[in-house]
Amino acid sequence: MDAETLPYALDLVAGSGVCLSPEKRTALRTSLLLVRRDYRFEQVRLWGRIQGTRGAYYVAEGLGPDRAGPRSRLYSLNCVDWSLLPPPAEEMIPMTAGLKGRFQGDPSYEYENYDKKEEDLESHMSDGNDLALVKEELRLVITVDQIDKAVGIVPRGAYIKTPLGPVHENRSFEGLSLTEAKKLSSYFHFTEPVNLKNKTLLEKADLDPSIDFLDSLEHDIPKGSWSIQVERGGRIVVLRSLLWPGLTFYHVPNTKQHGYIYFGTGEKNIDLPFML
Amino acid sequence: MAEPPGEQPEEGEKPQEPGPEPPRQPSVPSSKSLHGLARQSGQGLQGQTGSSEKGLEPHPSQDEQPAQIPLHDQQPGPPQQVRGSIYQPQQPRLSVYEQQEPRGSIYQPQQARGNLFQTRGSMPQPQDQRVGAYRPPTGVQDTAGGTSQDFVGGASQPQDQRGSSHQPYQVPSVRSTQQQFDPGHGPYQTHEPGLGLYQLGAGIYEDQVPDPGPRALAIKNAKAYLLKTSIKSGVSLYDHFAEMLAKILEERPENPADIIENISKDIKCARFQKKLDTLRDEYEKLPTYELAEMYKTLFQKVGGDGAEQEVEEEALETPLPNVMETAYYFEQAGFGLSLEEYYHIFLAIKLLVTTHPLQNCRFWGKVLGIEANYIVAEVEFREGEEEEEAEEEEIPEEVLKEGSEREEEDEDDEEKDEPPKPNYKPPPIVPKEDNRTGTNKFIYFVCNEPGKPWVKLPPVTPAQIVNARKIKKFFTGKLDAPIVSYPPFPGNEANYLRAQIARISAATQISPLGFYQFGEEEGDEEEEGGAGRDSYEENPEFEPISVTELVDSLSNWVHHVQNILTQGRCTWINPLQKAEEEEEEDEEEEKEEQEESQQEVGPPLLTPLSEDAEIQNITPWSSEASTSLVPQYAIAVLQSNLWPGAYSFAIGRRFDNIYIGWGHKYSPVNYTPPELPPVQTEYPSGPEISETADPTVEEEMALKAAQEEALAVEEMEEEEEEDEDEDD
């Protein structure tokens, strides 16, 4: 969520236990402003917090003019000093895929990648040493990226794709109506669309190319991986991801205000199919 | 229109013109043929020539032409006639000069228009400059034409044609940009740039000039076109532009040129919003209002004066917890709900306290569900009061049981031909713990929203706890929703919620060491079955443990809720005792049960947290101080890793626990539902019912041979006998 409106936005998502102590909140207000200055971002967002057993990572992201373009992510352990995370790369994913369990809260902590080790010993003996240790920082990068791709969402119409490609905030977005806001189809994954290309021409006919350039949540697998609730009597719509518990999205109907934040352990809920 | 034919011949000449022109201009008083060319080819030329000539006012013909050319073009008539008419309209030009003063006064309304011109004007300037070098006043005249033409702006045909005639004259690049801007205006722009800036007022006047003639007609046409309302929306472009400009000027947005589309869209949208049908008069019932109404009841004082007095009497010893105080501490710890929600909960709990005879009450936490969430309050009834209610509750259950038994009996009577009964005997049911003990020590009330009625959760049975451990389901938010799971859960969501609450409480309700102590009057441990004493009392001599100690060492924290055994109870009970009394059992079963019935022993009450088992290398608790910057006022915060969402804080004599989460236990490995049990045998297999194998040929042969032998022997014997008989 946007760093500018952080206290207000945090209050809206507090229903699921998301809360920052006054100390952290104040620190964030200050430090994120400086981050914005130092890295020359157009917009800085507080992405969330990943709770480790011995400490927590606070993650922020900075955006350039293209809102859907690549974004820089930073993390901090104390909400004051921020350090840049390396951009996620394809080859990192298999390295961290086998890691399970809670984060430690120490970026230099090294995981012993048991699964990888065994595989390597079986298949390529030579690679075994390189992949045996994975730093937690790397895991953090991938986890944040995965969460963003899987459950980073925006309301329909909040962003428009310009004919030249870049995605901008829609100036004339006035928010979803309450009835619209209760439907999953009014929310989009804010990432490269996957299902959109697979739609039939008939389905595509009603889409507005400048608005409907993203995948909607409607066809998320498994079905029912979102909890959509109207809180405070219709003043806020809150979406909680059941796939990545801890991700809370809020939208105030009929206003521009929306955003999401992740406050969790950084673990995917792989038991979801059994739990519905 | 009519003009193309006239222009065509000229086109041949046009290419030549640009070249020769510059030289021509100096020799302004050139022949009429030149003028004719200029005029026909377009106003650009005329502007130039005219400008050069304007200096030399005496040549009226040349001067007038530029001013009037637009008219000529619009006129269907041939250009020559136009020229003839040009002489008359000199007046307008004169008027231009005269009106220069009024121009100033008119200036304001035209500013907007002036802006429009500016961009355009900049491009054609080179040409004008050429002229301008010659004579600045020319600009003045051209403006007149330019502005008037601007009015005509929308007028379609005449302008376009003029444009076509004009353009060859102008620098090509200029033309293209003009066209982008507004093709209709293209042709005029050459005049405008110089003039448009200087002389906006003149144009207006010219339009009003007594001899407007064809130009005014064109203007009228154009305006009429603009005023034409759309069939669909009933709005004319003229009005729309006017509204747009008004909006822009009122609101003064930044970079209006970039967002002109949005503004246009907004205005169109606003137009639709106003248009509403008559049905709308019905007042909209938003859930917001209902909720606000509900919250309002919370803020009203309960009961009349009598009730208030009672409250005052009890004020000294009220069971009402100070929710806001704990909320403050949890906020310091970085966990909790919004203050507004807390306060609503606070009021809702107050309502609960005033409506029920409670001894103790506590805000236990919030359990998230898919459709709604549960707010949970933990209460303890006053002595005596709660048992009545409990009895009331139990009665229906018994009635139900009796009813079902009766039904079964009836069925038995009807069906005389009974199907074979399975010899499966369900394992003996572990009796649930009495109220005020073990898992049922507290009673829990839940509601979806503060202000909605509190619902009392039923007491938990050991079977529910045992089954709740085996399943992992999301709460839906409806207490009567069935739990569809394997293994099947005995009960609905209310029971599941209650079971989870019991499990969470047992694992995460903690207090600083020494805050509670065992009561002295408590019986021996042996009597309790070795599970430890199950009640405690506040230690009056408790000395606060410092925050750093609380943070550093988990052994300074203790559980003050009893551990739940695998049996699903806190105190172990032998489920077989009753069973043995009632039924005779097979020896085999008894053996099994004896194995099972080894007494389970859990950690006793008030066990330090440091004894908690690790979850696969993960510490069960994470502790930290709420702040490192101001250690003097830090509070100790403990966070359960086993039940994510369970937090505790302690400072001095204050401590509290809260749970806000999905109600699921953490497990590092993924959940796997238990395996299905092996398929049961349908009947005992034995030799009586098993099919025998067919004999082989050899066997048959052997049998036959044996039989034959036997027969032979018999025959022999018979024969012998016969012989004997015969002998006899």
Side-chain angles (χ1 to χ4, degrees):
Chain A
M1 52 184 58
D2 198 354
E4 301 290 320
T5 58
L6 193 62
Y8 170 70
L10 276 177
D11 194 50
L12 295 181
V13 294
S16 40
V18 173
C19 181
L20 285 174
S21 67
E23 180 189 320
K24 295 273 188 271
R25 212 179 299 170
T26 326
L28 282 175
R29 291 274 276 179
T30 315
S31 60
L32 287 181
L33 212 59
L34 295 179
V35 162
R36 184 173 163 179
R37 182 197 65 186
D38 295 343
Y39 292 91
R40 308 201 173 172
F41 294 132
E42 278 200 2
Q43 195 190 10
V44 178
R45 289 187 191 150
L46 179 66
W47 181 87
R49 177 174 75 184
I50 288 185
Q51 189 73 45
T53 51
R54 281 179 287 163
Y57 297 100
Y58 293 84
V59 180
E61 57 186 11
L63 299 170
D66 184 1
R67 294 289 191 258
R71 45 190 82 169
S72 333
R73 297 202 176 91
L74 304 104
Y75 75 94
S76 166
L77 296 170
N78 56 4
C79 288
V80 177
D81 308 313
W82 295 86
S83 30
L84 202 62
L85 284 172
E90 283 291 321
E91 63 268 18
M92 294 181 189
I93 295 172
M95 289 165 71
T96 56
L99 302 182
K100 283 178 191 167
R102 292 283 301 269
F103 278 79
Q104 294 295 317
D106 174 14
S108 56
Y109 178 84
E110 288 183 333
Y111 288 96
E112 284 185 38
N113 200 338
Y114 296 107
D115 298 352
K116 206 72 203 170
K117 242 186 190 171
E118 286 165 16
E119 277 176 29
D120 286 331
L121 286 175
E122 286 167 12
S123 52
H124 343 273
M125 292 290 284
S126 55
D127 297 348
N129 294 331
D130 303 340
L131 294 169
L133 295 175
V134 179
K135 277 200 176 180
E136 184 156 282
E137 191 180 24
L138 196 67
R139 188 182 170 199
L140 183 69
V141 172
I142 294 302
T143 309
V144 171
D145 191 53
Q146 278 176 337
I147 293 177
D148 241 4
K149 279 188 176 151
V151 289
I153 56 172
V154 294
R156 179 177 182 269
Y159 288 89
I160 46 170
K161 190 169 193 169
T162 54
L164 294 175
V167 173
H168 293 299
E169 272 150 43
N170 187 357
R171 283 187 55 101
S172 54
F173 176 62
E174 296 289 345
L176 303 168
S177 69
L178 187 58
T179 38
E180 283 290 310
K182 286 179 189 167
K183 294 177 193 159
L184 277 184
S185 55
S186 318
Y187 300 95
F188 287 148
H189 288 283
F190 199 49
T191 179
E192 198 64 28
V194 182
N195 293 330
L196 200 63
K197 295 164 197 155
N198 303 333
K199 285 197 170 179
T200 61
L201 278 178
L202 205 62
E203 288 168 321
K204 276 184 192 167
D206 294 334
L207 302 182
D208 181 344
S210 68
I211 293 176
D212 301 299
F213 60 99
L214 298 168
D215 278 339
S216 82
L217 302 191
E218 217 177 353
H219 304 294
D220 274 14
I221 297 170
K223 207 169 183 169
S225 56
W226 289 93
S227 149
I228 188 162
Q229 280 190 23
V230 181
E231 289 191 358
R232 304 190 194 176
R235 277 183 291 158
I236 322 164
V237 177
V238 176
L239 269 79
R240 296 192 180 93
S241 174
L242 306 184
L243 189 63
W244 286 94
L247 187 118
T248 314
F249 168 90
Y250 77 94
H251 174 54
V252 187
N254 299 319
T255 69
K256 278 186 173 189
Q257 297 154 16
H258 67 88
Y260 64 85
I261 196 161
Y262 181 84
F263 266 57
T265 59
E267 288 170 290
K268 193 177 184 174
N269 182 12
I270 41 182
D271 303 336
L272 182 60
F274 296 108
M275 297 169 71
L276 295 171
Chain B
M1 295 283 289
E3 290 198 321
E7 286 179 336
Q8 281 167 357
E10 295 159 8
E11 280 177 11
E13 300 167 357
K14 283 170 204 163
Q16 299 167 354
E17 288 165 1
E21 264 189 25
R24 240 186 257 158
Q25 288 168 354
S27 63
V28 167
S30 56
S31 65
K32 281 186 182 177
S33 65
L34 272 181
H35 268 293
L37 280 178
R39 203 189 307 141
Q40 292 155 5
S41 62
Q43 287 188 341
L45 218 198
Q46 288 156 7
Q48 293 161 0
T49 51
S51 65
S52 64
E53 289 159 7
K54 272 173 218 161
L56 318 168
E57 281 249 336
H59 302 277
S61 65
Q62 293 169 354
D63 284 342
E64 289 159 6
Q65 287 164 4
Q68 293 215 340
I69 280 159
L71 303 185
H72 300 308
D73 289 345
Q74 289 156 9
Q75 279 178 347
Q80 285 181 351
Q81 288 175 355
V82 174
R83 219 191 290 157
S85 66
I86 292 169
Y87 289 93
Q88 298 164 352
Q90 279 186 348
Q91 292 157 352
R93 216 214 326 151
L94 288 175
S95 68
V96 169
Y97 288 101
E98 293 164 4
Q99 289 152 9
Q100 280 179 347
E101 291 168 4
R103 220 187 294 150
S105 62
I106 301 167
Y107 193 68
Q108 287 180 348
Q110 290 160 356
Q111 272 186 333
R113 239 196 294 152
N115 289 336
L116 289 178
F117 294 116
Q118 279 180 351
T119 46
R120 238 188 280 154
S122 64
M123 293 167 304
Q125 267 180 1
Q127 277 192 347
D128 288 334
Q129 283 168 357
R130 234 197 286 159
V131 180
Y134 227 129
R135 206 148 189 224
T138 50
V140 174
Q141 245 219 345
D142 284 338
T143 355
T147 45
S148 69
Q149 288 149 11
D150 262 292
F151 269 134
V152 181
S156 49
Q157 293 161 352
Q159 290 171 358
D160 289 343
Q161 288 158 3
R162 229 185 277 156
S164 64
S165 62
H166 218 355
Q167 286 150 3
Y169 224 155
Q170 295 173 345
V171 182
S173 66
V174 170
R175 205 212 302 168
S176 64
T177 48
Q178 285 169 356
Q179 281 174 343
Q180 276 181 0
F181 205 95
D182 184 355
H185 286 292
Y188 303 98
Q189 286 157 7
T190 39
H191 306 275
E192 293 157 10
L195 306 170
L197 299 178
Y198 296 46
Q199 247 206 354
L200 291 171
I204 286 176
Y205 277 89
E206 278 203 0
D207 295 339
Q208 297 166 353
V209 156
D211 179 29
R215 182 191 295 172
L217 192 68
I219 293 167
K220 276 183 189 168
N221 281 342
K223 196 174 173 185
Y225 169 77
L226 287 178
L227 282 169
K228 204 161 72 179
T229 53
S230 151
I231 301 169
K232 280 183 189 168
S233 60
V235 179
S236 70
L237 187 63
Y238 189 92
D239 292 341
H240 186 62
F241 276 145
E243 272 185 60
M244 267 170 68
L245 290 176
K247 187 179 164 85
I248 290 172
L249 291 174
E250 265 174 28
E251 297 178 0
R252 303 263 167 183
E254 268 183 48
N255 309 326
D258 299 339
I259 56 164
I260 189 89
E261 299 91 344
N262 291 336
I263 293 170
S264 167
K265 206 172 161 188
D266 282 350
I267 289 174
K268 283 186 178 174
C269 288
R271 212 170 270 139
F272 278 114
Q273 279 169 4
K274 278 178 203 163
K275 202 178 160 191
L276 294 163
D277 60 316
T278 48
L279 290 176
R280 205 227 175 194
D281 286 338
E282 194 176 335
Y283 187 64
E284 214 176 343
K285 264 196 177 179
L286 283 176
T288 319
Y289 303 133
E290 289 170 22
L291 195 81
E293 191 70 35
M294 199 174 74
Y295 283 156
K296 197 185 162 191
T297 58
L298 287 179
F299 285 93
Q300 281 160 351
K301 285 199 172 180
V302 188
D305 298 334
E308 279 179 25
Q309 282 177 0
E310 278 178 27
V311 169
E312 282 167 17
E313 286 166 13
E314 290 172 7
L316 293 174
E317 206 173 325
T318 176
L320 183 65
N322 192 349
V323 176
M324 298 316 287
E325 192 188 358
T326 50
Y328 165 76
Y329 284 117
F330 278 117
E331 192 188 0
Q332 299 300 310
F335 188 75
L337 309 169
S338 68
L339 284 182
E340 199 184 336
E341 191 171 359
Y342 264 128
Y343 205 82
H344 283 138
I345 292 170
F346 189 24
L347 291 176
I349 289 179
K350 175 174 168 268
L351 201 69
L352 184 71
V353 168
T354 47
T355 49
H356 292 79
L358 302 182
Q359 180 73 40
N360 265 319
C361 185
R362 199 172 74 84
F363 174 48
W364 185 86
K366 182 175 176 181
V367 179
L368 302 176
I370 292 175
E371 287 165 36
N373 310 319
Y374 294 112
I375 289 158
V376 185
E378 182 183 81
V379 305
E380 212 175 353
F381 278 97
R382 274 183 225 144
E383 291 287 343
E385 311 237 12
E386 147 243 1
E387 273 127 37
E388 291 168 16
E389 291 192 19
E391 280 169 17
E392 282 169 19
E393 272 183 15
E394 278 176 15
I395 290 165
E397 281 179 21
E398 284 169 13
V399 171
L400 278 177
K401 276 181 189 171
E402 285 172 12
S404 61
E405 279 170 17
R406 273 176 205 160
E407 281 172 19
E408 282 172 15
E409 282 170 13
D410 293 344
E411 281 172 14
D412 287 356
D413 291 340
E414 287 167 12
E415 291 178 30
K416 285 176 182 173
D417 186 16
E418 286 179 21
K421 281 187 180 174
N423 57 356
Y424 168 76
K425 280 175 190 158
I429 296 164
V430 181
K432 77 173 183 198
E433 284 173 299
D434 294 336
N435 291 332
R436 290 176 182 280
T437 58
T439 49
N440 287 323
K441 179 165 176 147
F442 296 104
I443 289 168
Y444 293 89
F445 281 87
V446 297
C447 65
N448 288 130
E449 288 272 358
K452 284 189 180 168
W454 289 96
V455 181
K456 187 177 161 189
L457 290 180
V460 67
T461 65
Q464 283 163 357
I465 289 182
V466 170
N467 272 293
R469 282 177 174 149
K470 291 182 190 160
I471 64 173
K472 199 174 177 186
K473 295 284 284 184
F474 275 117
F475 293 100
T476 62
K478 286 175 286 188
L479 282 176
D480 52 354
I483 302 283
V484 183
S485 67
Y486 179 80
F489 183 79
N492 55 18
E493 189 164 300
N495 300 106
Y496 183 46
L497 179 65
R498 181 64 186 80
Q500 291 296 84
I501 289 175
R503 293 177 65 200
I504 294 171
S505 298
T508 66
Q509 302 282 303
I510 53 174
S511 57
L513 177 69
F515 188 83
Y516 289 119
Q517 62 180 12
F518 291 114
E520 286 167 7
E521 76 276 11
E522 196 62 39
D524 294 342
E525 283 188 21
E526 289 168 14
E527 276 184 18
E528 293 291 323
R533 292 172 284 189
D534 66 348
S535 78
Y536 51 81
E537 59 186 20
E538 230 171 272
N539 182 0
E541 293 154 14
F542 170 67
E543 284 182 11
I545 304 173
S546 76
V547 169
T548 44
E549 281 177 40
L550 285 172
V551 171
D552 290 342
S553 167
L554 286 178
S555 54
N556 283 324
W557 293 82
V558 292
H559 289 278
H560 63 260
V561 171
Q562 277 178 301
N563 180 53
I564 304 177
L565 304 170
T566 47
Q567 192 186 33
R569 288 172 59 101
C570 292
T571 48
W572 191 81
I573 192 168
N574 190 348
L576 301 175
Q577 286 172 348
K578 277 186 187 175
E580 280 170 5
E581 290 169 11
E582 288 170 5
E583 300 171 19
E584 293 176 5
E585 286 167 22
D586 298 345
E587 289 176 11
E588 291 175 10
E589 283 184 14
E590 270 185 15
K591 279 180 192 169
E592 283 175 13
E593 280 155 11
Q594 278 169 2
E595 286 167 13
E596 280 177 11
S597 63
Q598 279 181 1
Q599 189 169 332
E600 297 167 12
V601 181
L605 198 60
L606 303 187
T607 308
L609 297 194
S610 46
E611 307 279 312
D612 282 8
E614 283 199 344
I615 335 157
Q616 289 200 357
N617 304 324
I618 299 172
T619 57
W621 294 90
S622 296
S623 61
E624 59 175 1
S626 65
T627 167
S628 54
L629 299 177
V630 195
Q632 299 88 332
Y633 296 106
I635 61 175
V637 181
L638 241 69
Q639 174 189 355
S640 173
N641 291 332
L642 192 61
W643 291 94
Y647 280 73
S648 303
F649 82 87
I651 177 171
R653 293 183 67 86
R654 294 179 207 286
F655 72 91
D656 205 351
N657 309 289
I658 198 171
Y659 179 83
I660 301 175
W662 293 99
H664 295 134
K665 192 173 180 174
Y666 176 80
S667 70
V669 289
N670 43 336
Y671 167 79
T672 9
E675 276 181 28
L676 292 171
V679 180
Q680 284 184 335
T681 50
E682 259 181 295
Y683 46 82
S685 68
E688 316 92 53
I689 48 170
S690 56
E691 195 177 0
T692 49
D694 283 344
T696 57
V697 179
E698 288 81 26
E699 283 171 343
E700 277 183 12
M701 293 298 282
L703 186 70
K704 240 182 189 175
Q707 281 174 344
E708 277 172 9
E709 269 181 33
L711 271 179
V713 172
E714 278 179 22
E715 279 173 14
M716 286 289 284
E717 283 174 1
E718 282 175 13
E719 279 173 15
E720 281 174 13
E721 283 175 10
E722 282 172 13
D723 290 344
E724 282 175 11
D725 293 341
E726 283 171 12
D727 291 342
D728 291 337

